[in-house]
Amino acid sequence: MIMNPKAFLLGLMLTLSWGAAAKDYTVASPDGKLVITIHANLDRLTWEVQHGKTDVLAPSEIGLNGAFRKMSGKVKGNTATVGNKEYQVEFRADDDAAAYRIQVLDKKGITVNDETAEFNFTGDYNAFIPYVNDNRGGERYCFSFEAYYDEQPLSKMFQDSLAINPLAVRLPEGKLAVIADMGATDYPGMFLVKNGTYGMKATFAPYPTTEEIGGYARLNLVPTARASYIAKEVKGALPWRIVMVTEHDKQLLTARLPQRFGPQCQIADTSWIRPGKVAWDWWNATMLTGVPFRAGMNTDTYKYYIDFTAKNHLEYIIIDEGWSTDESLRSELNPEIDLFSLLPYAEKKGVGIILWTSWRNCINNTEDDFKYYASLGVKGFKVDFFDRDDQAVMRSAWKIAETAAKNHLLLDYHGYRPTGIQVAFPNIVNFEGVKGLENSKWEPRVGDGPLHDQPRYDVSIPYLRQLVGPLDYTPGAMTNATRAEFFGNNDHPMSQGTRAHQVAMYTLFDAPLQMMADAPTKYEREQATTDFISQIPTVFDEVVAIDGQLGEDVVIAKRKGATWYIGAMTNWTARDIEIPFSMLAEGSHLAEFFADGVNADRDATDYTKTRQTVRKGGSVKIHLAPGGGWSAIIK
């Protein structure tokens, strides 16, 4: 066979050009353990991640509007940039996280039809997966972002289900990989679906084109049609795609992803932002007892809440759903609640009032409503039932935060999963997006116990959900039950686990705006518990992760000024733990302990409250009852 010399030469040139265009780049973390390998081929970009001898991610594709083509790059320190004339992809290898984000270089912005983000693992590892459930109005992407964790091998992921993040994958040698996104402010949040045998890939809510009032109690705006694209007018940096890798689960407790990967603060002066505790009405169904008036959503009830708040040195009360209509924040207000008398009454007592609103109601007249209520002395709004994270809602959340900041109003976002907006607007002091205490009101019994294992969830969320931002779990139940005794009750709710388990949440759960969910008259009957809780701050100067394992237990110490606060919790398994005092300053310190009582396994309200002197370098041995907890305040 005789080959045409010109054809041979052309084929050789194509082969050489293909080989020259296929480039690999390697980025290592400062400690050298975590390594990202980037494969920039002619028409495909992939990355893989190793940690020590552990293969974390097999080659996983990265893309936007189809394949990336003809990319070249450079490595500098623990970062790399790979790009072409249209896009750049910034990679970063921290000691505990591999991350990348795509930069759109077109200054006019582009429409994003689809983004490819794969996370392909190398084995059939067990995972903690929070699946989307309870869709609003039956719409696939309309959801409260509250989910228990399904614990299952990657191969058993449900093929047709969306998962939210963060979610965790247990790697060999006890390591954990956690997938998260961060910085989704003008871009939809990242859902995850099964990809191949051991992997998953991102999917995003398409842009909504039409909506209707619907969902739970008609409080939502539910999309009835969505566009073929997921985002429009996109320019600059897209959100970070993050794979954390830890050798010890407790590393997740202090990872602070929003501060590391979130947007820049947009508020020049944050001195007016006042965190604190909140006496909350909804969970306890405004069920005051022993009072000379009919308790409910009325002026006398809220005056009682204000008095209780002032007496116990708390900062706020919330007036939840029912003070306004579902369609307006200004007209046809509840005549039983006299805001014009409650606001000055609260101001005199040093108590702030925060009002509830649905997101749908809030966006009707945000500028005027926020300005009006700020002028009356309202301190903030709890904005509920976002229940979406498509680009339209993310833009709306930013606008609400910006308007609230201009009027010095705090915000608590519900039905919303944080991805760093709280760094841009620290007046957003809390988020829900968590299966909190409210679920105890309707939790069914199955067989010999409750359907869901709440204590196991309680010792999972500090590692996962809390990784991306504070959580409005709303702790503080004074009626506490063992697994055998628990049942759901809307008007007289109780918690799974012990009293000390509930108290420990005030230290363990990040919540600059932290609720006291039970009734003021119950707290007054349990004044010793109330006095302990009221001493615990809601923001801290230092956090030390002491010990724990995802889904099993957790121990964290936090410092405010010179005082240390320590919390410990377990699932339904009783444990004996030794807690070191290595974080203390030299010398002796007075410690106050709140612990499970000796009979807490039979009566979950049983607790002890003791004092003793402790020293740096010492320790204390504690026993956690099933569903138990322990707290310390050390001065």
Side-chain angles (χ1 to χ4, degrees), residues 590-605:
L590 180 62
E592 188 173 8
F593 299 151
F594 196 104
D596 290 322
V598 69
N599 295 303
D601 61 327
R602 299 169 61 196
D603 179 353
T605 65

Side-chain angles (χ1 to χ4, degrees), residues 74-113:
K74 60 182 179 180
V75 176
K76 184 176 180 181
N78 68 321
T79 66
T81 303
V82 178
N84 56 26
K85 293 180 180 180
E86 298 174 281
Y87 310 108
Q88 286 189 344
V89 185
E90 176 187 353
F91 293 87
R92 180 169 135 190
D94 291 356
D95 289 343
D96 62 351
Y100 73 85
R101 64 178 175 180
I102 300 169
Q103 298 267 355
V104 175
L105 301 182
D106 189 332
K107 293 182 180 179
K108 295 179 182 178
I110 67 168
T111 296
V112 176
N113 297 314

Side-chain angles (χ1 to χ4, degrees), residues 41-57:
N41 297 318
L42 263 183
D43 61 352
R44 192 166 182 258
L45 180 67
T46 63
W47 73 322
E48 54 186 301
V49 179
Q50 292 80 33
H51 186 275
K53 296 180 180 179
T54 305
D55 292 327
V56 180
L57 288 189

Side-chain angles (χ1 to χ4, degrees), residues 308-604:
F308 164 78
T309 299
K311 184 174 69 175
N312 288 282
H313 311 290
L314 313 179
E315 287 76 21
Y316 299 101
I317 71 162
I318 279 184
I319 302 179
D320 213 281
E321 181 184 8
W323 69 274
S324 71
T325 71
D326 294 339
E327 306 302 326
S328 172
L329 295 179
R330 299 278 288 278
S331 63
E332 299 182 46
L333 303 184
N334 185 340
E336 298 296 317
I337 300 173
D338 184 1
L339 276 177
F340 294 99
S341 67
L342 285 173
L343 284 163
Y345 185 80
E347 189 73 27
K348 272 187 186 178
K349 301 234 172 189
V351 174
I353 293 180
I354 294 171
L355 301 175
W356 179 95
T357 176
S358 69
W359 167 69
R360 178 171 74 79
N361 203 351
C362 177
I363 61 176
N364 288 335
N365 197 22
T366 311
E367 294 274 355
D368 289 345
D369 287 346
F370 279 14
K371 183 177 180 180
Y372 172 73
Y373 281 108
S375 72
L376 294 182
V378 169
K379 302 303 181 185
F381 282 89
K382 172 182 170 182
V383 186
D384 207 347
F385 293 99
F386 279 88
D387 292 353
R388 286 161 46 194
D389 69 351
D390 50 52
Q391 187 189 35
V393 170
M394 300 305 248
R395 287 177 167 176
S396 173
W398 184 279
K399 181 63 177 176
I400 291 168
E402 193 173 48
T403 306
K406 186 167 63 177
N407 290 282
H408 286 195
L409 292 170
L410 303 180
L411 292 171
D412 179 5
Y413 279 0
H414 276 220
Y416 190 94
R417 181 183 61 88
T419 69
I421 190 174
Q422 69 272 28
V423 180
F425 294 100
N427 59 313
I428 307 177
V429 284
N430 221 350
F431 301 87
E432 195 185 30
V434 65
K435 279 285 187 184
L437 193 66
E438 68 174 0
N439 292 273
S440 296
K441 289 168 73 76
W442 50 75
E443 174 72 9
R445 286 186 67 85
V446 176
D448 62 352
L451 174 63
H452 296 103
D453 187 339
Q454 194 72 33
R456 186 168 182 82
Y457 181 75
D458 295 344
V459 293
S460 300
I461 52 178
Y463 300 92
L464 294 180
R465 165 59 185 82
Q466 193 163 280
L467 190 62
V468 295
L471 42 85
D472 201 4
Y473 183 99
T474 69
M478 293 294 101
T479 302
N480 318 107
T482 63
R483 187 175 180 279
E485 295 173 333
F486 176 87
F487 63 93
N489 188 315
N490 186 74
D491 288 343
H492 299 279
M494 64 186 71
S495 70
Q496 292 187 41
T498 70
R499 173 74 57 79
H501 187 91
Q502 287 287 305
V503 171
M505 293 177 180
Y506 286 90
T507 297
L508 292 168
F509 291 168
D510 292 340
L513 190 70
Q514 181 63 282
M515 305 290 165
M516 293 183 67
D518 222 326
T521 48
K522 281 192 177 181
Y523 286 123
E524 288 167 340
R525 288 199 299 270
E526 300 287 347
Q527 194 62 47
T529 301
T530 305
D531 289 344
F532 191 93
I533 292 172
S534 67
Q535 296 179 67
I536 303 172
T538 62
V539 293
F540 300 86
D541 301 321
E542 184 181 356
V543 180
V544 176
I546 295 178
D547 202 1
Q549 183 178 335
L550 171 63
E552 297 295 327
D553 61 340
V554 58
V555 187
I556 303 176
K558 299 181 178 180
R559 178 181 61 81
K560 180 72 171 179
T563 303
W564 281 93
Y565 305 83
I566 307 176
M569 282 195 305
T570 183
N571 55 20
W572 284 123
T573 301
R575 298 177 197 276
D576 293 300
I577 297 174
E578 185 169 3
I579 297 179
F581 296 133
S582 55
M583 76 293 294
L584 300 180
E586 296 293 341
S588 60
H589 304 267
L590 180 62
E592 188 173 8
F593 299 151
F594 196 104
D596 290 322
V598 69
N599 295 303
D601 61 327
R602 299 169 61 196
D603 179 353

Side-chain angles (χ1 to χ4, degrees), residues 33-35 37 48-59 120-125 154 169-173 175-177 198 243 245:
K33 292 183 179 180
L34 190 147
V35 176
T37 304
E48 54 186 301
V49 179
Q50 292 80 33
H51 186 275
K53 296 180 180 179
T54 305
D55 292 327
V56 180
L57 288 189
N120 296 320
F121 290 90
T122 59
D124 196 10
Y125 306 131
L154 289 171
V169 177
R170 179 67 71 185
L171 301 173
E173 301 178 324
K175 296 178 183 179
L176 271 178
Y198 305 139
V243 179
V245 185

